[in-house]
Amino acid sequence: MSSTSSEKQILGLHHVTAIAGDPQSNIEFYTRVLGLRLVKLTVNYDDPDTYHLYYGDKLGHPGSILTFFPWPNAPRGIRGTGQATTVSFLIPENSMQYWKDRLKENYVKVEEQGKRFKNEEEFLTFYDNDDLKLELVSTGSNTRSAFTPWEKSPVPEQWAIRGFHSVSLSEEGYERTASLLTDTMGFRLVDQEGERFRYETGPGGASSYVDLLCQPELLRGEVLVGTVHHLAWRTPSDEEQKAWREDVIKAGCNATPVIDRRYFHSVYYREPGGVLFEIATDPPGFTVDEPEEKLGSSLRLPPWLESSRKQIENALPKIELT
Ligand code: ZN
């Protein structure tokens, strides 16, 4: 019999966290242009003078959550190795033209359109207001089971973003990262095309992919405005999270203790190529401190910061929720 810890599986992406500049412009881009829901308005628990903005589907299902720390006065970062350099969203089949038109109408910088993996996957590369590199991906076959449309989205449900498709990591050399993914974290190599190596985890399909891009010619990345800070992988329970923590430590990574992030519990470690990984629990989720219909409508603080609310609110830049 194999042990419980060898049967555990990472279920896919939980969330991706990036650095933005101006919070208002970030809110408008992700809610009005991309049609995601702001599911939580809170602060960075490690730096409470900074907002933490969470976007996702109606409920903020794991696998749909893109979050930002807005640093309005910080310079642009460098997109480069040791970073997640592209965040890709899944869109429904036959919706590419809708999105091309929508991005154009909203003056979004669109860079490239193409196909990957024997033409099975169509992608459109574009940038948010802070130059964060994003993609829309249509595959024809992948649908997400845990997706709840947000009925107030400006994007009609038939075209709506279905959560993440994948995240691409730029690496100077990919072997040690690949080995952590397959030998320790249970990922499987499923495809390769040029410099791109695709791995999947858990049930496979959209939101379970990570693409390693072997790009030694790129500069080393610098995490500032317009770059990804870290990405988080899903685990269903605290018990499995504890086992993952032990496994990655055995594999030579320095992992943090379990940290309470209110909506999930987190363990952080850096993979050998330099990208900051997190293992995050699915529970308790975003309805732990406000009801479903009110998600993201007011500033939520964890109990340990509630006594400093006045001071925190005064220090935060003013924003308008649209
Ligand atoms: Zn995180």
Side-chain angles (χ1 to χ4, degrees):
M1 283 292 286
S2 52
S3 70
T4 313
S5 75
S6 67
E7 288 162 11
K8 67 189 185 300
Q9 274 194 326
I10 284 171
L11 302 174
L13 285 161
H14 184 285
H15 65 269
V16 176
T17 295
I19 310 297
D22 178 52
Q24 189 70 47
S25 139
N26 185 259
I27 290 170
E28 283 170 18
F29 184 84
Y30 286 94
T31 62
R32 286 191 181 174
V33 180
L34 295 195
L36 303 179
R37 183 182 191 186
L38 179 68
V39 290
K40 194 64 67 182
L41 176 64
T42 185
V43 294
N44 179 347
Y45 296 172
D46 301 325
D47 173 22
D49 292 347
T50 298
Y51 281 113
H52 195 178
L53 308 172
Y54 289 75
Y55 305 95
D57 71 355
K58 183 182 177 183
L59 300 176
H61 273 112
S64 77
I65 314 158
L66 179 59
T67 95
F68 289 91
F69 299 135
W71 295 350
N73 302 313
R76 286 276 163 90
I78 297 171
R79 195 180 311 113
T81 58
Q83 270 183 352
T85 45
T86 311
V87 179
S88 304
F89 296 104
L90 179 70
I91 54 169
E93 201 178 355
N94 302 323
S95 60
M96 202 50 95
Q97 192 59 49
Y98 169 88
W99 279 102
K100 273 168 74 179
D101 295 342
R102 184 174 184 84
L103 295 179
K104 194 174 165 200
E105 278 160 22
N106 285 281
Y107 307 102
V108 175
K109 182 179 152 200
V110 175
E111 181 186 70
E112 192 194 354
Q113 187 179 6
K115 290 185 174 178
R116 292 193 184 111
F117 297 123
K118 303 175 198 84
N119 295 335
E120 279 168 18
E121 192 172 295
E122 198 180 354
F123 68 93
L124 185 69
T125 308
F126 64 106
Y127 296 85
D128 79 0
N129 297 329
D130 296 308
D131 225 24
L132 181 69
K133 193 174 181 184
L134 303 169
E135 278 180 356
L136 295 171
V137 175
S138 166
T139 68
S141 60
N142 272 310
T143 50
R144 274 182 56 83
S145 47
F147 165 76
T148 307
W150 178 39
E151 58 278 0
K152 291 180 190 150
S153 172
V155 177
E157 185 186 335
Q158 65 180 129
W159 314 120
I161 284 173
R162 265 33 179 189
F164 293 126
H165 174 268
S166 56
V167 170
S168 298
L169 313 185
S170 291
E171 302 283 5
E172 200 181 329
Y174 77 99
E175 292 88 354
R176 287 187 307 151
T177 303
S179 151
L180 180 75
L181 288 175
T182 56
D183 302 346
T184 304
M185 295 176 67
F187 282 72
R188 310 173 290 275
L189 177 67
V190 288
D191 225 331
Q192 194 232 324
E193 191 172 79
E195 62 180 17
R196 182 178 297 268
F197 296 78
R198 173 160 296 174
Y199 296 83
E200 70 173 9
T201 180
S207 95
S208 83
Y209 297 128
V210 59
D211 288 359
L212 297 190
L213 309 179
C214 189
Q215 298 179 314
E217 72 285 2
L218 285 195
L219 284 176
R220 188 81 187 161
E222 190 180 355
V223 176
L224 282 164
V225 173
T227 64
V228 172
H229 186 271
H230 67 270
L231 53 104
W233 301 107
R234 291 175 60 195
T235 185
S237 68
D238 290 324
E239 191 194 7
E240 289 197 12
Q241 181 180 56
K242 206 171 144 225
W244 283 119
R245 182 174 181 276
E246 285 163 15
D247 289 353
V248 301
I249 289 171
K250 266 186 226 148
C253 300
N254 287 314
T256 66
V258 176
I259 300 173
D260 181 7
R261 296 304 190 194
R262 190 79 167 125
Y263 312 109
F264 42 86
H265 302 148
S266 302
V267 166
Y268 302 85
Y269 55 99
R270 228 170 257 287
E271 58 83 19
V275 182
L276 187 59
F277 277 6
E278 173 184 347
I279 304 263
T281 55
D282 280 0
F286 293 105
T287 52
V288 73
D289 63 352
E290 59 188 340
E292 192 180 306
E293 64 278 11
K294 291 267 173 67
L295 288 177
S297 62
S298 64
L299 182 72
R300 309 308 301 176
L301 295 174
W304 61 92
L305 290 176
E306 205 46 74
S307 61
S308 321
R309 178 176 276 272
K310 265 252 128 61
Q311 195 186 325
I312 289 170
E313 284 180 342
N314 287 336
L316 288 168
K318 297 290 162 267
I319 51 167
E320 229 175 279
L321 297 177
T322 51

